[in-house]
Amino acid sequence: MTEPFLLTLNEIESTDLPLVGAKALNLARLHQNKLPVLPGLVVTTAFLEAQIVAQSLRPIWEGSPNVAVTEDALHFLADFLKSKPLARPLDEQLQQKLADVFPPGVESFAVRSSAVDEDGQRHSFAGLHLTELAVPRELIPVSLTRCWASTLMGPALKYRIQYDIPIRKIKIAVLIQPMLKPDAAGVAFTLNPVSGARDELVVEAVSALGDAVVQGTVTPFRYHIDRQKPGFPVRQKSGGDDAAAVREPLSAAQLQTLAHHLERVEALMGAPQDVEWAFSKNKFYFMQTRPVSSATLSAGDAALHPQDDFSAEWTRANHPGTLPELPSALFSSLMLRTQHRGIMFFKRMGFDVSGLGPYIKLFFGRPYLNLDIIKHVLSQLGFNPLPLLAMVGYVPVGSVTNPFAIRWHDVWRARRIFLNILREIRHVGAFVDNYRQSTDHIIATLKKIPATTDDMLTQFRFREQVYGDVMTGGLLLLSALTGLTVLIARLVAPFSESSVQVFQTLGTFGKDPASVRHNTALWKLSRLALAEPAVVAYLARSFRLNDYRTALAGTEFLRAFEDYLAQHGYLSAYPADMGFPRYREQPEALLQSIAGYTQLAELQRTLFTDRAADGRAVRHVWQKLTRNARGWHRWFPWRQWATRILLAKLHHLFVLRSELFAAQARAMAAIRQWDLALARKWAAAKLINAPDDYFWLTVEEIEQVMASALRTIAPLQPTIAARRDAYRAYWDVDVPQVMDDAAVPNVSEAGGVTEVSLEDTLLGLSVSPGQVQGHISFLSEFESPEDVPRGHILVAPSTDPAYLPYFPLAAGLIVERGGMLSHGSIIAREYGLPAVSNIDARRQLHSGDRVLLDGSTGLVQVLERAS
């Protein structure tokens, strides 16, 4: 089929990039989705090729086995195209189409190049291809050939050669639009191009044509606008060459209108955008939009964009137990969207994190934290990073000697950082209260999906506020908790048994109250079930529990179970991930857990005692830490007094952190219900096959669909199917807890990154003291507690609270991923269960191996291999 020579913006389809180039394709997408774009006519790449063929110059442009495309040959082709008129049939088609599209009253035009390979994230060609303004109608053919020539010579050609972009068969389209006489014009970024922050828009404007801003020949007004609907307040503004003028280029109302448009543009294009705009006769028009290029960002904040040869170190130790092994694609993309909040927090406190890369990165579907950033932050505070990180499980266990050492000269150097943290900690209670009120407002707002695109996008983006604020508040609390822990450990050092003992004792404050309440409720329900034989018989059916309302009708257990679902059904094992079902959606999973509790007759309720929430918690911990004080410390107990004061503050901060995460859990549950309501509509419209498919999409992909007219939406099913396949492959990859960028190519399905270790001696993190010998059993191999052998050393993938019911059955515990302060680790210590974490048990141990587990040293010694 013959490719069309001329297309209007309305006629362009999503697959027409090779014909119309990136600039025209992007504007066509805006135009077809009702965003303000002037009407346009595109002279396609097929038109250029026809002109080259008509002049018998194809070998120079395209090359052949005997003719190479060279820089000199393209220069000749450029000069030839400029000097020769259009072939008569082509010129006649162009003149006819111009008359059809633009009425006679339009006599002045803007003629812009639109290359196939420009305006990408890696190569923008910004300013290298020709744009001609105020071109009379009769000179459009001349301007057209000049645009072609600009691509084949000069800076544009040198740019291609410099970046190894092919110069064979260069394709260029040309966009023709009416010429505007704007009252104001300029450029805009839908993120901060310097810091990378996604919570603001940056607009530059002058009271004239915007080309002066693009070319850098004037200093424009600059506006930093908060992305807070409906007002879009201006966070900061600075005057340019017009600073002394009476009137700014844009009023507050005009900035608000532009901000609304920019949010839609970004959503529609699926990535942060660099936009050229103009304002004429009380209306905005978009002249160009393209992704913010890596070159633009790398010229900004080096903290987000390290050198190409930089290899950062990454850890996933904080995610097991709080996130599924493979978080949903939607939640993972949300983490990436909001990660700038972490970088901005560190910068606001005064930390230097330049050149260390992003805060979060995905490897094989798993989110990793930038370990280099964490180490640098701790080091700048004067702390000893590696032993501290080893104790919390962030790095492989090495030496934990002197983990609470303080370099006082670094502390003095970081005094401004400490003052900033102290200043914000004073108001952290108000921050948590405001966050709770904000999430309550969001929950109330999300009761119904709005009808308009703008309102729908606003509600969809609430998740960025919910998760981003938790990241900021969580980092603030974590900074304060780390500092207080080190100070308390220093105070009690003269009469404490060991650093590990101090750390474990302080960690009892970190037990998650929500998990305690949930497991306590399930324990109570299991006791209630045991009192009703009909319930016991039903629960014995194990995995056939989907008809529970009918089977258990009239029982006291059913009433209590329904009451629990009504009050706490919004929770889930992983409440932060909106892609993970809530208990009210899958009550059968809770019934299976209750069935497991009923089979554990010796289960002690003290396993779930929430001492951290007890008003006597501070006194209990204080007495435990100071009981060995003797002599001078007993007669002059200033250390004990200071410890008591700091413990009260530490306990208070742990409580605030729990309240912060509880508010997040409620908000994410409401967000999931909103998502499901939208997903059901999309499934009904055949955009996706089933509502659950929605969670295989990313934030950007969902925003694109919301902002697009139905006829312009690309099919989603292939994207979802491909991502499912990728995640199935990810599941088979045994990823390490810590790795650097350079090690990623060495990770494989066979067993992660190769490590050197003694075959029968494994060293992990000491989680709970005590020594025990026994046989290894992997919890993943059993379907219910009744199948688990008693008195074995159990291996769990993580310290997920879901594994707590198995603790009474174990003689010892090996946890593949987790730290001293995880909920399961705290429970293991309270239960007196020897435990070690951060051991790659699946590769180094087998079911039936007899081992010696020393929870005091973190050592696991294989005594006898299973036959």
Side-chain angles (χ1 to χ4, degrees), residues 471-618:
M471 184 181 293
T472 300
L475 285 172
L476 176 61
L477 286 164
L478 184 60
S479 302
L481 291 169
T482 303
L484 282 173
T485 298
V486 172
L487 283 176
I488 292 170
R490 297 278 298 184
L491 283 170
V492 302
F495 40 80
S496 64
E497 296 175 5
S498 70
S499 299
V500 170
Q501 182 261 334
V502 171
F503 195 73
Q504 291 176 346
T505 301
L506 294 176
T508 59
F509 287 152
K511 194 193 301 184
D512 179 21
S515 293
V516 171
R517 289 191 295 270
H518 173 65
N519 285 285
T520 301
L522 296 190
W523 181 85
K524 289 180 177 178
L525 286 167
S526 73
R527 302 307 96 179
L528 192 59
L530 288 172
E532 299 183 276
V535 179
V536 174
Y538 176 77
L539 293 178
R541 294 165 53 182
S542 187
F543 294 104
R544 294 178 289 110
L545 304 176
N546 56 344
D547 60 341
Y548 72 94
R549 286 192 175 91
T550 301
L552 300 179
T555 63
E556 184 65 18
F557 171 85
L558 179 62
R559 183 197 62 77
F561 183 69
E562 295 283 12
D563 286 346
Y564 181 76
L565 282 181
Q567 294 179 42
H568 304 289
Y570 67 89
L571 293 172
S572 80
Y574 306 106
D577 188 344
M578 72 290 292
F580 203 81
R582 272 37 189 176
Y583 292 139
R584 67 164 62 97
E585 300 171 47
Q586 293 184 341
E588 297 83 6
L590 283 184
L591 289 170
Q592 290 166 15
S593 296
I594 294 169
Y597 281 115
T598 61
Q599 297 162 13
L600 301 174
E602 71 273 33
L603 183 66
Q604 301 176 19
R605 184 178 174 186
T606 55
L607 183 65
F608 306 122
T609 302
D610 186 8
R611 292 180 185 171
D614 191 335
R616 294 169 296 178
V618 173

Side-chain angles (χ1 to χ4, degrees), residues 232-485:
F232 291 102
V234 176
R235 176 184 300 178
Q236 177 188 349
K237 65 180 176 181
S238 57
D241 293 342
D242 290 344
V246 175
R247 186 174 62 86
E248 295 180 18
L250 295 174
S251 67
Q254 290 163 350
L255 283 169
Q256 185 176 337
T257 301
L258 179 58
H260 273 287
H261 287 324
L262 290 172
E263 288 233 309
R264 278 203 65 200
V265 170
E266 182 187 83
L268 186 65
M269 304 308 294
Q273 294 292 295
D274 171 0
V275 178
E276 294 178 24
W277 58 270
F279 183 74
S280 177
K281 297 179 181 178
N282 293 319
K283 186 175 181 180
F284 282 98
Y285 295 93
F286 292 114
M287 320 308 294
Q288 181 170 341
T289 185
R290 59 189 173 212
V292 176
S293 68
S294 56
T296 301
L297 285 172
S298 61
D301 193 347
L304 292 174
H305 310 283
Q307 298 296 320
D308 289 340
D309 58 353
F310 179 81
S311 182
E313 195 173 21
W314 304 87
T315 178
R316 64 185 298 252
N318 64 316
H319 291 136
T322 60
L323 291 177
E325 174 68 14
L326 282 173
S328 68
L330 178 55
F331 179 73
S332 295
S333 66
L334 176 65
M335 294 182 77
L336 297 180
R337 170 74 75 93
T338 55
Q339 66 165 311
H340 71 276
R341 297 286 295 270
I343 297 292
M344 298 309 295
F345 168 80
F346 293 128
K347 290 170 67 69
R348 192 172 75 250
M349 293 299 102
F351 292 105
D352 179 11
V353 292
S354 300
L356 299 178
Y359 185 50
I360 297 172
K361 200 170 185 178
L362 296 180
F363 294 104
F364 304 100
R366 282 89 165 178
Y368 279 72
L369 285 184
N370 190 319
L371 192 53
D372 287 324
I373 290 179
I374 300 170
K375 289 178 184 176
H376 275 68
V377 165
L378 290 173
S379 184
Q380 288 173 57
L381 290 173
F383 299 153
N384 197 359
L386 287 178
L388 277 175
L389 292 171
M391 284 204 299
V392 295
Y394 272 38
V395 297
V397 178
S399 172
V400 291
T401 305
N402 207 12
F404 301 119
I406 297 178
R407 299 187 304 275
W408 292 107
H409 62 283
D410 287 334
V411 172
W412 174 251
R413 199 177 302 155
R415 60 191 181 277
R416 290 187 179 276
I417 298 176
F418 281 104
L419 287 173
N420 289 336
I421 293 174
L422 287 172
R423 191 179 299 116
E424 296 215 11
I425 281 294
R426 287 175 53 199
H427 306 291
V428 71
F431 176 90
V432 173
D433 286 340
N434 290 336
Y435 181 77
R436 190 185 301 111
Q437 294 172 16
S438 172
T439 53
D440 287 345
H441 170 73
I442 287 172
I443 292 169
T445 306
L446 293 178
K447 297 294 185 185
K448 185 180 179 182
I449 295 178
T452 67
T453 297
D454 281 348
D455 290 341
M456 191 183 303
L457 284 169
T458 298
Q459 291 193 6
F460 179 76
R461 286 173 176 160
F462 280 155
R463 70 199 64 215
E464 294 179 38
Q465 179 183 341
V466 170
Y467 192 73
D469 286 352
V470 158
M471 184 181 293
T472 300
L475 285 172
L476 176 61
L477 286 164
L478 184 60
S479 302
L481 291 169
T482 303
L484 282 173
T485 298

Side-chain angles (χ1 to χ4, degrees), residues 105 219 243 335 342 351 537 809 840 848:
T219 303
M335 294 182 77
F351 292 105
L809 307 176
D840 190 358

Side-chain angles (χ1 to χ4, degrees), residues 778-848:
F778 287 80
L779 283 179
S780 59
E781 297 176 357
F782 303 103
E783 294 185 346
S784 67
E786 63 183 351
D787 300 326
V788 178
R790 313 281 170 126
H792 279 210
I793 294 173
L794 300 182
V795 178
S798 70
T799 50
D800 189 317
Y803 295 116
L804 298 186
Y806 296 90
F807 285 14
L809 307 176
L813 184 68
I814 295 175
V815 181
E816 294 187 277
R817 292 183 298 276
M820 281 190 198
L821 301 187
S822 64
H823 186 78
S825 300
I826 296 169
I827 296 296
R829 289 194 291 272
E830 292 185 353
Y831 206 65
L833 191 65
V836 174
S837 73
N838 292 346
I839 283 181
D840 190 358
R842 281 177 292 175
R843 281 203 292 139
Q844 297 173 298
L845 298 172
H846 304 89
S847 291

